[in-house]
Amino acid sequence: MDSKISQREQWTSKLGFILAAAGSAVGLGNLWGFAYRASQGGGAAFVLLYVLIVLIVCLPVFVAEMALGRNAMASTLLAPVKLAGKNWYPLGILFFIAPLGIASYYSVIMGWTADTLFHSLFFGLPKNLTEAETFFGSISSGSSVLLGHLLSLVLTAIIVSSGIKKGIEKVTRYFMPILFIIIVILAIWATSLSGAWEGYKTFLLKFDFNELRNPQTIRNAFTQAFFSLSLGIGIMVTYASYLNKKSNLPKLSVGVASLDTLVGLMAGFITFPIVLTFGLSDAISESTVGALFISIPTGLGSYGAAGRIVAVAFFALAYIAAITSSVSLLEVPVSSLMDKFGFKREKSVWLITLFLFLAGIPSALNLNILGTVDSIFGGVLLIFGGFLVTFFMGWVVPGKFNEELNDSKVGIKTTRYLKFMTRWIAPPIIGFGLFISVFDLMKSWVS
Ligand code: PHE
């Protein structure tokens, strides 16, 4: 069963792991997801809830996932069974299926991103909202969307088939610094826009206490926190299984979570000024999955050559961020097949890529299906996974969790804090978030 585990690859350094894990976390969720969730009416209350969830529950989930992966030294499909026996196989299966679900439509959105990038580069930007809507219609349908979906999957597959060190680690080492530079430059540029202040106010200061009780805002905040940190579906289990025993898991989690949240907030500092400067809040608050691809090019279109350069930088940034996330989504099922059936990496990669291409076709051709798949796989399932993983490490195999914390040498106070949070605080809060999210999702289906 675990024939390949003994030859597990490892990251070359701690930095290699941090960049790869941050590469997984920082993605379309920070740019596309954050903008449209923040504009669905939650405003500053959404942002506050999101940050609180990251600090209070996501950090313990992060450490729990890493502890599971490093202790088992196995892929997500087998890790729970290795630690707690056959009864926990369903958790492994959940961790196997959820990334497949996300990856199937993530590459579709990557395709839109690539299309918008090429169009901005070679043909310029739309002149008004109608033109932008027509353009988005053309890239999100027919053969063009299938081609974008396919190319993004193939690019991801090429990187993953080169392995951990030569593929994922190498790519993230180059891409992550470029991404940080572009995002900082764009955030500085956005301060010069006339609607900058209006934009910051909308997403940081427009605080409505009632929003804290709005199920949609609560679901958005939980979804954003888990999706953006790539938590609850075994990504960090897999990545941590390539770590050596000496690394300090809590410290690494704090590093990755801070980078991701920083990028998320900076993305808000770019998209909100643009949207409010050009009076596009209506376009974006309709909050269809395509809002960002319509409002950003339209806004920048009225800004001449500078606008075009910014559009190219923005969509290049989004694509770079997305590719380092999609490799993590592919790595999880790939490593699971390798561990379970002893498949070679290449075989595993191309089998799953073919499956993802086919599974993504309905989402590619129909935005409603994409939205639904996203709210299930990229929403409630992640929250459910987060709940299960804290329950598993906190209550089912607390001894293993302890071992990993001891190996991390974090000191008695941090160890106590993490154990307490993982057993008593995270599961009930996530359980509550899950309940509200499922309820809100059902409500949105009925209405
Ligand atoms: N975190 C990634 C993003 O923000 C998406 C992702 C979610 C990747 C879940 C892996 C797992 O875009």
mmCIF file with all atom_site columns, all heavy atoms in Angstrom, residues 24-30 102 106 226-231 233 235 260 325 328-329 382, ligand 1:
data_model
loop_
_atom_site.group_PDB
_atom_site.id
_atom_site.type_symbol
_atom_site.label_atom_id
_atom_site.label_alt_id
_atom_site.label_comp_id
_atom_site.label_asym_id
_atom_site.label_entity_id
_atom_site.label_seq_id
_atom_site.pdbx_PDB_ins_code
_atom_site.Cartn_x
_atom_site.Cartn_y
_atom_site.Cartn_z
_atom_site.occupancy
_atom_site.B_iso_or_equiv
_atom_site.pdbx_formal_charge
_atom_site.auth_seq_id
_atom_site.auth_comp_id
_atom_site.auth_asym_id
_atom_site.auth_atom_id
_atom_site.pdbx_PDB_model_num
ATOM   1   N N   . SER A 1 24  ? 0.590   28.269 -2.672  1.00 0.00 ? 24  SER A N   1
ATOM   2   C CA  . SER A 1 24  ? -0.712  27.615 -2.728  1.00 0.00 ? 24  SER A CA  1
ATOM   3   C C   . SER A 1 24  ? -1.788  28.548 -2.178  1.00 0.00 ? 24  SER A C   1
ATOM   4   O O   . SER A 1 24  ? -2.866  28.696 -2.749  1.00 0.00 ? 24  SER A O   1
ATOM   5   C CB  . SER A 1 24  ? -0.679  26.331 -1.902  1.00 0.00 ? 24  SER A CB  1
ATOM   6   O OG  . SER A 1 24  ? -1.987  25.863 -1.718  1.00 0.00 ? 24  SER A OG  1
ATOM   7   N N   . ALA A 1 25  ? -1.461  29.186 -1.059  1.00 0.00 ? 25  ALA A N   1
ATOM   8   C CA  . ALA A 1 25  ? -2.457  30.035 -0.403  1.00 0.00 ? 25  ALA A CA  1
ATOM   9   C C   . ALA A 1 25  ? -2.787  31.261 -1.255  1.00 0.00 ? 25  ALA A C   1
ATOM   10  O O   . ALA A 1 25  ? -3.953  31.559 -1.513  1.00 0.00 ? 25  ALA A O   1
ATOM   11  C CB  . ALA A 1 25  ? -1.939  30.450 0.964   1.00 0.00 ? 25  ALA A CB  1
ATOM   12  N N   . VAL A 1 26  ? -1.758  31.974 -1.682  1.00 0.00 ? 26  VAL A N   1
ATOM   13  C CA  . VAL A 1 26  ? -1.996  33.192 -2.452  1.00 0.00 ? 26  VAL A CA  1
ATOM   14  C C   . VAL A 1 26  ? -2.436  32.793 -3.857  1.00 0.00 ? 26  VAL A C   1
ATOM   15  O O   . VAL A 1 26  ? -1.700  32.134 -4.581  1.00 0.00 ? 26  VAL A O   1
ATOM   16  C CB  . VAL A 1 26  ? -0.710  34.031 -2.543  1.00 0.00 ? 26  VAL A CB  1
ATOM   17  C CG1 . VAL A 1 26  ? -0.915  35.203 -3.482  1.00 0.00 ? 26  VAL A CG1 1
ATOM   18  C CG2 . VAL A 1 26  ? -0.305  34.510 -1.161  1.00 0.00 ? 26  VAL A CG2 1
ATOM   19  N N   . GLY A 1 27  ? -3.649  33.176 -4.209  1.00 0.00 ? 27  GLY A N   1
ATOM   20  C CA  . GLY A 1 27  ? -4.127  32.773 -5.528  1.00 0.00 ? 27  GLY A CA  1
ATOM   21  C C   . GLY A 1 27  ? -5.316  33.607 -5.951  1.00 0.00 ? 27  GLY A C   1
ATOM   22  O O   . GLY A 1 27  ? -5.515  34.719 -5.450  1.00 0.00 ? 27  GLY A O   1
ATOM   23  N N   . LEU A 1 28  ? -6.104  33.033 -6.832  1.00 0.00 ? 28  LEU A N   1
ATOM   24  C CA  . LEU A 1 28  ? -7.274  33.761 -7.317  1.00 0.00 ? 28  LEU A CA  1
ATOM   25  C C   . LEU A 1 28  ? -8.216  34.103 -6.164  1.00 0.00 ? 28  LEU A C   1
ATOM   26  O O   . LEU A 1 28  ? -8.962  35.064 -6.231  1.00 0.00 ? 28  LEU A O   1
ATOM   27  C CB  . LEU A 1 28  ? -8.007  32.924 -8.361  1.00 0.00 ? 28  LEU A CB  1
ATOM   28  C CG  . LEU A 1 28  ? -7.212  32.717 -9.652  1.00 0.00 ? 28  LEU A CG  1
ATOM   29  C CD1 . LEU A 1 28  ? -7.882  31.679 -10.526 1.00 0.00 ? 28  LEU A CD1 1
ATOM   30  C CD2 . LEU A 1 28  ? -7.060  34.028 -10.397 1.00 0.00 ? 28  LEU A CD2 1
ATOM   31  N N   . GLY A 1 29  ? -8.162  33.314 -5.105  1.00 0.00 ? 29  GLY A N   1
ATOM   32  C CA  . GLY A 1 29  ? -8.987  33.598 -3.932  1.00 0.00 ? 29  GLY A CA  1
ATOM   33  C C   . GLY A 1 29  ? -8.695  34.983 -3.369  1.00 0.00 ? 29  GLY A C   1
ATOM   34  O O   . GLY A 1 29  ? -9.599  35.688 -2.929  1.00 0.00 ? 29  GLY A O   1
ATOM   35  N N   . ASN A 1 30  ? -7.430  35.378 -3.378  1.00 0.00 ? 30  ASN A N   1
ATOM   36  C CA  . ASN A 1 30  ? -7.077  36.677 -2.824  1.00 0.00 ? 30  ASN A CA  1
ATOM   37  C C   . ASN A 1 30  ? -7.518  37.826 -3.725  1.00 0.00 ? 30  ASN A C   1
ATOM   38  O O   . ASN A 1 30  ? -7.853  38.902 -3.260  1.00 0.00 ? 30  ASN A O   1
ATOM   39  C CB  . ASN A 1 30  ? -5.562  36.800 -2.638  1.00 0.00 ? 30  ASN A CB  1
ATOM   40  C CG  . ASN A 1 30  ? -5.005  35.717 -1.756  1.00 0.00 ? 30  ASN A CG  1
ATOM   41  O OD1 . ASN A 1 30  ? -5.068  34.551 -2.116  1.00 0.00 ? 30  ASN A OD1 1
ATOM   42  N ND2 . ASN A 1 30  ? -4.496  36.076 -0.616  1.00 0.00 ? 30  ASN A ND2 1
ATOM   43  N N   . ILE A 1 102 ? -12.154 21.473 -6.708  1.00 0.00 ? 102 ILE A N   1
ATOM   44  C CA  . ILE A 1 102 ? -11.710 22.865 -6.886  1.00 0.00 ? 102 ILE A CA  1
ATOM   45  C C   . ILE A 1 102 ? -10.878 22.996 -8.165  1.00 0.00 ? 102 ILE A C   1
ATOM   46  O O   . ILE A 1 102 ? -11.085 23.899 -8.969  1.00 0.00 ? 102 ILE A O   1
ATOM   47  C CB  . ILE A 1 102 ? -10.901 23.353 -5.670  1.00 0.00 ? 102 ILE A CB  1
ATOM   48  C CG1 . ILE A 1 102 ? -11.776 23.323 -4.414  1.00 0.00 ? 102 ILE A CG1 1
ATOM   49  C CG2 . ILE A 1 102 ? -10.383 24.774 -5.908  1.00 0.00 ? 102 ILE A CG2 1
ATOM   50  C CD1 . ILE A 1 102 ? -11.094 23.811 -3.166  1.00 0.00 ? 102 ILE A CD1 1
ATOM   51  N N   . TYR A 1 106 ? -11.034 25.767 -11.142 1.00 0.00 ? 106 TYR A N   1
ATOM   52  C CA  . TYR A 1 106 ? -9.977  26.779 -10.936 1.00 0.00 ? 106 TYR A CA  1
ATOM   53  C C   . TYR A 1 106 ? -9.280  27.059 -12.267 1.00 0.00 ? 106 TYR A C   1
ATOM   54  O O   . TYR A 1 106 ? -8.988  28.201 -12.610 1.00 0.00 ? 106 TYR A O   1
ATOM   55  C CB  . TYR A 1 106 ? -8.985  26.238 -9.902  1.00 0.00 ? 106 TYR A CB  1
ATOM   56  C CG  . TYR A 1 106 ? -8.198  27.297 -9.160  1.00 0.00 ? 106 TYR A CG  1
ATOM   57  C CD1 . TYR A 1 106 ? -8.762  27.984 -8.084  1.00 0.00 ? 106 TYR A CD1 1
ATOM   58  C CD2 . TYR A 1 106 ? -6.879  27.587 -9.496  1.00 0.00 ? 106 TYR A CD2 1
ATOM   59  C CE1 . TYR A 1 106 ? -8.036  28.935 -7.376  1.00 0.00 ? 106 TYR A CE1 1
ATOM   60  C CE2 . TYR A 1 106 ? -6.148  28.533 -8.797  1.00 0.00 ? 106 TYR A CE2 1
ATOM   61  C CZ  . TYR A 1 106 ? -6.723  29.205 -7.726  1.00 0.00 ? 106 TYR A CZ  1
ATOM   62  O OH  . TYR A 1 106 ? -6.004  30.140 -7.037  1.00 0.00 ? 106 TYR A OH  1
ATOM   63  N N   . PHE A 1 226 ? -10.905 29.938 4.728   1.00 0.00 ? 226 PHE A N   1
ATOM   64  C CA  . PHE A 1 226 ? -10.436 28.581 4.413   1.00 0.00 ? 226 PHE A CA  1
ATOM   65  C C   . PHE A 1 226 ? -9.930  28.470 2.983   1.00 0.00 ? 226 PHE A C   1
ATOM   66  O O   . PHE A 1 226 ? -8.896  27.863 2.723   1.00 0.00 ? 226 PHE A O   1
ATOM   67  C CB  . PHE A 1 226 ? -11.549 27.546 4.686   1.00 0.00 ? 226 PHE A CB  1
ATOM   68  C CG  . PHE A 1 226 ? -11.643 27.174 6.125   1.00 0.00 ? 226 PHE A CG  1
ATOM   69  C CD1 . PHE A 1 226 ? -12.394 27.937 7.002   1.00 0.00 ? 226 PHE A CD1 1
ATOM   70  C CD2 . PHE A 1 226 ? -10.941 26.093 6.632   1.00 0.00 ? 226 PHE A CD2 1
ATOM   71  C CE1 . PHE A 1 226 ? -12.459 27.617 8.352   1.00 0.00 ? 226 PHE A CE1 1
ATOM   72  C CE2 . PHE A 1 226 ? -10.997 25.764 7.982   1.00 0.00 ? 226 PHE A CE2 1
ATOM   73  C CZ  . PHE A 1 226 ? -11.762 26.524 8.841   1.00 0.00 ? 226 PHE A CZ  1
ATOM   74  N N   . PHE A 1 227 ? -10.660 29.076 2.062   1.00 0.00 ? 227 PHE A N   1
ATOM   75  C CA  . PHE A 1 227 ? -10.260 28.965 0.658   1.00 0.00 ? 227 PHE A CA  1
ATOM   76  C C   . PHE A 1 227 ? -8.921  29.662 0.439   1.00 0.00 ? 227 PHE A C   1
ATOM   77  O O   . PHE A 1 227 ? -8.009  29.133 -0.188  1.00 0.00 ? 227 PHE A O   1
ATOM   78  C CB  . PHE A 1 227 ? -11.328 29.606 -0.239  1.00 0.00 ? 227 PHE A CB  1
ATOM   79  C CG  . PHE A 1 227 ? -11.088 29.388 -1.708  1.00 0.00 ? 227 PHE A CG  1
ATOM   80  C CD1 . PHE A 1 227 ? -11.546 28.244 -2.334  1.00 0.00 ? 227 PHE A CD1 1
ATOM   81  C CD2 . PHE A 1 227 ? -10.404 30.328 -2.470  1.00 0.00 ? 227 PHE A CD2 1
ATOM   82  C CE1 . PHE A 1 227 ? -11.326 28.034 -3.690  1.00 0.00 ? 227 PHE A CE1 1
ATOM   83  C CE2 . PHE A 1 227 ? -10.178 30.127 -3.826  1.00 0.00 ? 227 PHE A CE2 1
ATOM   84  C CZ  . PHE A 1 227 ? -10.645 28.978 -4.437  1.00 0.00 ? 227 PHE A CZ  1
ATOM   85  N N   . SER A 1 228 ? -8.829  30.869 0.993   1.00 0.00 ? 228 SER A N   1
ATOM   86  C CA  . SER A 1 228 ? -7.621  31.649 0.734   1.00 0.00 ? 228 SER A CA  1
ATOM   87  C C   . SER A 1 228 ? -6.379  30.993 1.344   1.00 0.00 ? 228 SER A C   1
ATOM   88  O O   . SER A 1 228 ? -5.296  31.062 0.770   1.00 0.00 ? 228 SER A O   1
ATOM   89  C CB  . SER A 1 228 ? -7.820  33.056 1.287   1.00 0.00 ? 228 SER A CB  1
ATOM   90  O OG  . SER A 1 228 ? -6.667  33.787 1.086   1.00 0.00 ? 228 SER A OG  1
ATOM   91  N N   . LEU A 1 229 ? -6.550  30.356 2.509   1.00 0.00 ? 229 LEU A N   1
ATOM   92  C CA  . LEU A 1 229 ? -5.377  29.704 3.113   1.00 0.00 ? 229 LEU A CA  1
ATOM   93  C C   . LEU A 1 229 ? -5.178  28.278 2.608   1.00 0.00 ? 229 LEU A C   1
ATOM   94  O O   . LEU A 1 229 ? -4.292  27.575 3.080   1.00 0.00 ? 229 LEU A O   1
ATOM   95  C CB  . LEU A 1 229 ? -5.518  29.700 4.637   1.00 0.00 ? 229 LEU A CB  1
ATOM   96  C CG  . LEU A 1 229 ? -5.243  31.039 5.322   1.00 0.00 ? 229 LEU A CG  1
ATOM   97  C CD1 . LEU A 1 229 ? -5.558  30.953 6.810   1.00 0.00 ? 229 LEU A CD1 1
ATOM   98  C CD2 . LEU A 1 229 ? -3.787  31.448 5.147   1.00 0.00 ? 229 LEU A CD2 1
ATOM   99  N N   . SER A 1 230 ? -5.997  27.849 1.661   1.00 0.00 ? 230 SER A N   1
ATOM   100 C CA  . SER A 1 230 ? -5.933  26.466 1.148   1.00 0.00 ? 230 SER A CA  1
ATOM   101 C C   . SER A 1 230 ? -6.070  25.449 2.266   1.00 0.00 ? 230 SER A C   1
ATOM   102 O O   . SER A 1 230 ? -5.358  24.445 2.313   1.00 0.00 ? 230 SER A O   1
ATOM   103 C CB  . SER A 1 230 ? -4.601  26.178 0.432   1.00 0.00 ? 230 SER A CB  1
ATOM   104 O OG  . SER A 1 230 ? -4.311  27.106 -0.540  1.00 0.00 ? 230 SER A OG  1
ATOM   105 N N   . LEU A 1 231 ? -6.987  25.706 3.197   1.00 0.00 ? 231 LEU A N   1
ATOM   106 C CA  . LEU A 1 231 ? -7.117  24.794 4.341   1.00 0.00 ? 231 LEU A CA  1
ATOM   107 C C   . LEU A 1 231 ? -8.333  23.899 4.222   1.00 0.00 ? 231 LEU A C   1
ATOM   108 O O   . LEU A 1 231 ? -9.267  24.197 3.487   1.00 0.00 ? 231 LEU A O   1
ATOM   109 C CB  . LEU A 1 231 ? -7.245  25.597 5.635   1.00 0.00 ? 231 LEU A CB  1
ATOM   110 C CG  . LEU A 1 231 ? -5.971  26.268 6.124   1.00 0.00 ? 231 LEU A CG  1
ATOM   111 C CD1 . LEU A 1 231 ? -6.248  26.984 7.427   1.00 0.00 ? 231 LEU A CD1 1
ATOM   112 C CD2 . LEU A 1 231 ? -4.847  25.259 6.311   1.00 0.00 ? 231 LEU A CD2 1
ATOM   113 N N   . ILE A 1 233 ? -8.583  20.838 3.033   1.00 0.00 ? 233 ILE A N   1
ATOM   114 C CA  . ILE A 1 233 ? -8.681  19.800 2.002   1.00 0.00 ? 233 ILE A CA  1
ATOM   115 C C   . ILE A 1 233 ? -7.356  19.075 1.782   1.00 0.00 ? 233 ILE A C   1
ATOM   116 O O   . ILE A 1 233 ? -7.119  18.523 0.721   1.00 0.00 ? 233 ILE A O   1
ATOM   117 C CB  . ILE A 1 233 ? -9.177  20.358 0.661   1.00 0.00 ? 233 ILE A CB  1
ATOM   118 C CG1 . ILE A 1 233 ? -8.283  21.479 0.168   1.00 0.00 ? 233 ILE A CG1 1
ATOM   119 C CG2 . ILE A 1 233 ? -10.588 20.839 0.761   1.00 0.00 ? 233 ILE A CG2 1
ATOM   120 C CD1 . ILE A 1 233 ? -8.601  21.821 -1.276  1.00 0.00 ? 233 ILE A CD1 1
ATOM   121 N N   . ILE A 1 235 ? -4.223  20.084 1.509   1.00 0.00 ? 235 ILE A N   1
ATOM   122 C CA  . ILE A 1 235 ? -3.058  20.647 0.818   1.00 0.00 ? 235 ILE A CA  1
ATOM   123 C C   . ILE A 1 235 ? -1.872  20.704 1.785   1.00 0.00 ? 235 ILE A C   1
ATOM   124 O O   . ILE A 1 235 ? -0.769  20.245 1.479   1.00 0.00 ? 235 ILE A O   1
ATOM   125 C CB  . ILE A 1 235 ? -3.339  22.086 0.327   1.00 0.00 ? 235 ILE A CB  1
ATOM   126 C CG1 . ILE A 1 235 ? -4.569  22.136 -0.552  1.00 0.00 ? 235 ILE A CG1 1
ATOM   127 C CG2 . ILE A 1 235 ? -2.101  22.677 -0.334  1.00 0.00 ? 235 ILE A CG2 1
ATOM   128 C CD1 . ILE A 1 235 ? -4.369  21.816 -1.981  1.00 0.00 ? 235 ILE A CD1 1
ATOM   129 N N   . ASP A 1 260 ? -0.242  35.335 3.329   1.00 0.00 ? 260 ASP A N   1
ATOM   130 C CA  . ASP A 1 260 ? -1.474  35.229 2.552   1.00 0.00 ? 260 ASP A CA  1
ATOM   131 C C   . ASP A 1 260 ? -2.458  36.343 2.910   1.00 0.00 ? 260 ASP A C   1
ATOM   132 O O   . ASP A 1 260 ? -3.070  36.952 2.035   1.00 0.00 ? 260 ASP A O   1
ATOM   133 C CB  . ASP A 1 260 ? -2.119  33.859 2.793   1.00 0.00 ? 260 ASP A CB  1
ATOM   134 C CG  . ASP A 1 260 ? -3.402  33.693 1.997   1.00 0.00 ? 260 ASP A CG  1
ATOM   135 O OD1 . ASP A 1 260 ? -3.310  33.689 0.763   1.00 0.00 ? 260 ASP A OD1 1
ATOM   136 O OD2 . ASP A 1 260 ? -4.476  33.616 2.600   1.00 0.00 ? 260 ASP A OD2 1
ATOM   137 N N   . SER A 1 325 ? -1.035  28.078 -7.061  1.00 0.00 ? 325 SER A N   1
ATOM   138 C CA  . SER A 1 325 ? -2.110  27.424 -6.300  1.00 0.00 ? 325 SER A CA  1
ATOM   139 C C   . SER A 1 325 ? -2.564  26.158 -7.005  1.00 0.00 ? 325 SER A C   1
ATOM   140 O O   . SER A 1 325 ? -2.813  25.132 -6.371  1.00 0.00 ? 325 SER A O   1
ATOM   141 C CB  . SER A 1 325 ? -3.326  28.344 -6.151  1.00 0.00 ? 325 SER A CB  1
ATOM   142 O OG  . SER A 1 325 ? -2.978  29.505 -5.466  1.00 0.00 ? 325 SER A OG  1
ATOM   143 N N   . SER A 1 328 ? -0.629  23.096 -6.339  1.00 0.00 ? 328 SER A N   1
ATOM   144 C CA  . SER A 1 328 ? -0.891  22.421 -5.056  1.00 0.00 ? 328 SER A CA  1
ATOM   145 C C   . SER A 1 328 ? -2.160  21.577 -5.144  1.00 0.00 ? 328 SER A C   1
ATOM   146 O O   . SER A 1 328 ? -2.251  20.499 -4.559  1.00 0.00 ? 328 SER A O   1
ATOM   147 C CB  . SER A 1 328 ? -0.980  23.423 -3.914  1.00 0.00 ? 328 SER A CB  1
ATOM   148 O OG  . SER A 1 328 ? -2.176  24.177 -3.970  1.00 0.00 ? 328 SER A OG  1
ATOM   149 N N   . LEU A 1 329 ? -3.142  22.090 -5.889  1.00 0.00 ? 329 LEU A N   1
ATOM   150 C CA  . LEU A 1 329 ? -4.389  21.334 -6.038  1.00 0.00 ? 329 LEU A CA  1
ATOM   151 C C   . LEU A 1 329 ? -4.159  20.025 -6.785  1.00 0.00 ? 329 LEU A C   1
ATOM   152 O O   . LEU A 1 329 ? -4.812  19.024 -6.526  1.00 0.00 ? 329 LEU A O   1
ATOM   153 C CB  . LEU A 1 329 ? -5.427  22.181 -6.789  1.00 0.00 ? 329 LEU A CB  1
ATOM   154 C CG  . LEU A 1 329 ? -6.036  23.325 -5.985  1.00 0.00 ? 329 LEU A CG  1
ATOM   155 C CD1 . LEU A 1 329 ? -6.725  24.324 -6.901  1.00 0.00 ? 329 LEU A CD1 1
ATOM   156 C CD2 . LEU A 1 329 ? -7.021  22.795 -4.955  1.00 0.00 ? 329 LEU A CD2 1
ATOM   157 N N   . LEU A 1 382 ? -14.602 22.722 2.439   1.00 0.00 ? 382 LEU A N   1
ATOM   158 C CA  . LEU A 1 382 ? -13.355 23.131 3.112   1.00 0.00 ? 382 LEU A CA  1
ATOM   159 C C   . LEU A 1 382 ? -13.602 23.346 4.599   1.00 0.00 ? 382 LEU A C   1
ATOM   160 O O   . LEU A 1 382 ? -12.794 22.971 5.445   1.00 0.00 ? 382 LEU A O   1
ATOM   161 C CB  . LEU A 1 382 ? -12.830 24.455 2.545   1.00 0.00 ? 382 LEU A CB  1
ATOM   162 C CG  . LEU A 1 382 ? -12.545 24.583 1.070   1.00 0.00 ? 382 LEU A CG  1
ATOM   163 C CD1 . LEU A 1 382 ? -11.849 25.889 0.795   1.00 0.00 ? 382 LEU A CD1 1
ATOM   164 C CD2 . LEU A 1 382 ? -11.674 23.446 0.633   1.00 0.00 ? 382 LEU A CD2 1
HETATM 165 N N1  . PHE B 2 .   ? -5.799  29.334 -1.809  1.00 0.00 ? 1   PHE B N1  1
HETATM 166 C C1  . PHE B 2 .   ? -5.982  29.383 -3.215  1.00 0.00 ? 1   PHE B C1  1
HETATM 167 C C2  . PHE B 2 .   ? -6.439  30.771 -3.611  1.00 0.00 ? 1   PHE B C2  1
HETATM 168 O O1  . PHE B 2 .   ? -6.594  31.619 -2.801  1.00 0.00 ? 1   PHE B O1  1
HETATM 169 C C3  . PHE B 2 .   ? -6.965  28.405 -3.735  1.00 0.00 ? 1   PHE B C3  1
HETATM 170 C C4  . PHE B 2 .   ? -6.892  27.076 -3.140  1.00 0.00 ? 1   PHE B C4  1
HETATM 171 C C5  . PHE B 2 .   ? -7.904  26.661 -2.306  1.00 0.00 ? 1   PHE B C5  1
HETATM 172 C C6  . PHE B 2 .   ? -5.810  26.269 -3.383  1.00 0.00 ? 1   PHE B C6  1
HETATM 173 C C7  . PHE B 2 .   ? -7.848  25.433 -1.691  1.00 0.00 ? 1   PHE B C7  1
HETATM 174 C C8  . PHE B 2 .   ? -5.729  25.067 -2.777  1.00 0.00 ? 1   PHE B C8  1
HETATM 175 C C9  . PHE B 2 .   ? -6.759  24.655 -1.930  1.00 0.00 ? 1   PHE B C9  1
HETATM 176 O O2  . PHE B 2 .   ? -6.700  30.995 -4.757  1.00 0.00 ? 1   PHE B O2  1
#
